[in-house]
Each structure stands twice: as structure tokens, then as C-alpha cells.
Amino acid sequence: MQEFMGSAEVTALLGVSKQRTYQLTGRPDFPAPVAELKMGKVWRTADVMQWAIEAGRAVDTAVEEFDPRDR
């Protein structure tokens, strides 16, 4: 699993539209990005996975390999 992800990866992970990703990543409870590049914001994969698990969101099967204690 990659250490960082952009909005395209967040979209794929959560199985939502680009528009929904934009809404979710703008929420105050969504993890803060670790960087903002010309191509967009970048998040730690572990932070996004942790958020998804705690929010009860369905995610790609990679969640089975994710352990929040690895953060």
C-alpha cells in the first residue's frame, strides 16, 4: 500500500464520485492534507483509512490489510 494518496486514490478507495470526494475531503472531520501540490492535495493513506474505518465507510478490500495501529 502506498504511503500517500491524492484525490483520485481517495475516490477509488471510497468508491464515490469525484464530486463526492471533493465534498468529503472538505469536511472538518476529514484528515488534513500533508501537502498541497499543483496537482492537488495529498493525504497520508493511513489517515484516510483510519477516517474511513471510524466513519463506518465502505472501502476497497485493501482495508483488510490495514491496521490502524500501524500509524
Side-chain angles (χ1 to χ4, degrees):
M1 183 180 290
Q2 293 185 1
E3 187 174 353
F4 300 101
M5 60 179 15
S7 61
E9 290 80 15
V10 174
T11 297
L13 177 76
L14 299 177
V16 297
S17 68
K18 291 179 186 180
Q19 292 81 7
R20 185 66 179 141
T21 298
Y22 180 78
Q23 292 171 341
L24 292 171
T25 58
R27 291 173 45 150
D29 64 329
F30 197 84
V34 294
E36 194 161 342
L37 309 174
K38 286 184 181 182
M39 55 69 67
K41 296 177 182 178
V42 178
W43 294 269
R44 285 188 63 233
T45 300
D47 293 344
V48 175
M49 292 291 289
Q50 176 97 22
W51 174 85
I53 291 168
E54 290 174 359
R57 298 220 166 246
V59 293
D60 189 279
T61 56
V63 73
E64 294 175 18
E65 302 171 36
F66 177 76
D67 184 343
R69 294 171 293 182
D70 291 341
R71 292 184 72 214

